[in-house]
Amino acid sequence: MNAAAEDGGRRGDSGQSGSMGSLGSPGSSGPAHDSDLSAESSTSLTGSPVQRWLDIVVVEDHDDLREQLMAYLARPGWRLRGADCGEVLDALLREQPADVVVLDLNLPFEDGTSIARRLRAAFPAMGIVMLTARVRPVDRTEGYASGADVYLTKPTNVEELESVIQNLARRLVPQPGADSALVLDQTARCLRLPGGDSILLGTKETQLLRLLAMAPERQLDTDYLLHHLYQDEDTGSKRENLSVLISRLRLKLNAKAHKDLVRAVRGVGYRLGAKVVVR
């Protein structure tokens, strides 16, 4: 599975509008593909008060529908990226956190409700727009309970979706009580602690905390961590390297009275003992 990325420059000549059905009915599904604009990279609203681009990720497993949505939403100041499943979305967010995620619910492997819960826990300031064919009141209630800001049903007027994103962008501000949270700053590679103190991290330590912070229930099995942290290393050394990495990280955390942040789960792997916000 590959990520699709497209930076918003100007709206395409087609100028589609109207219902989602007018953009073309969903056809075959498959991996997304890349299409980047050579523009200077932006800083996310979820990570900085200064923003050049509004960073939007569209998560939809039907290729045609995803690409048509991205084409309609393309405009100056909006950077668009696409994903066809939660795994690809996670890869995109590791590269650059998003300000708004437009999220389908019926996705392969992990459904949109589960993804929304993870996103809301890891990125409290992120705007989440659910775009789905599920129209029952119970589905709408579950969507909002999982963290969605807006729940839109298909077929959806794309002009309404545009307005929803604009409204979310205007109110994307740091959450109250953010000073009391543990914040993983990916750019500075540090863990910011309540009260203003911070712990400097290595590259692998930053990756480890990010993976755990974005995981369901903030817990991952050992094999998953080994695969994502040490893809290019020999199998025999991976487990030893992970043990050394966690021991080193725990020493840093212990020095700041956070020794229980990374906990071992017997027979499974590791989990975070507290919520960590990713920026």
Side-chain angles (χ1 to χ4, degrees), residues 3-12 16 23 32-33 35 56-60 63-75 78-83 161:
E6 181 177 330
D7 288 323
R10 68 176 63 183
R11 186 175 310 199
Q16 297 104 321
L23 292 177
H33 61 268
S35 176
I56 304 166
V57 179
V58 177
V59 189
E60 167 62 62
D63 293 347
D64 290 344
L65 186 53
R66 181 182 63 251
E67 291 173 5
Q68 290 163 9
L69 270 173
M70 292 172 65
Y72 178 85
L73 293 173
R75 67 207 57 240
W78 288 19
R79 181 185 181 222
L80 289 155
R81 297 178 290 168
L161 175 60

Side-chain angles (χ1 to χ4, degrees), residues 98-169:
D99 302 302
V100 177
V101 170
V102 179
L103 183 63
D104 185 29
L105 289 188
N106 296 318
L107 294 169
F109 311 116
E110 181 183 12
D111 71 9
T113 302
S114 173
I115 293 172
R117 289 194 184 97
R118 295 196 292 109
L119 294 180
R120 182 56 68 219
F123 304 97
M126 177 184 286
I128 301 176
V129 182
M130 285 187 172
L131 196 60
T132 176
R134 301 181 189 178
V135 298
R136 298 181 306 165
V138 66
D139 293 324
R140 187 182 296 271
T141 299
E142 184 179 14
Y144 283 119
S146 68
D149 293 288
V150 180
Y151 189 101
L152 299 178
T153 56
K154 298 177 181 178
T156 300
N157 187 300
V158 286
E159 292 177 342
E160 180 183 8
L161 175 60
E162 176 186 352
S163 297
V164 164
I165 293 173
Q166 288 174 336
N167 286 335
L168 284 174

Side-chain angles (χ1 to χ4, degrees), residues 26-57:
S28 62
S29 62
H33 61 268
D34 297 329
S35 176
D36 281 320
L37 183 72
S38 57
E40 185 176 343
S41 62
S42 65
T43 300
S44 171
L45 279 173
T46 55
S48 170
V50 179
Q51 167 81 11
R52 181 169 182 179
W53 298 97
L54 180 70
D55 199 302
I56 304 166
V57 179

Side-chain angles (χ1 to χ4, degrees), residues 230-256:
Y230 302 105
Q231 295 184 43
D232 300 325
E233 297 188 16
D234 294 335
T235 303
S237 63
K238 286 183 178 181
R239 290 185 180 275
E240 180 180 352
N241 289 342
L242 179 60
S243 296
V244 171
L245 173 67
I246 290 176
S247 295
R248 185 172 63 234
L249 178 57
R250 282 174 170 167
L251 285 174
K252 293 182 178 181
L253 294 169
N254 188 42
K256 300 290 185 178

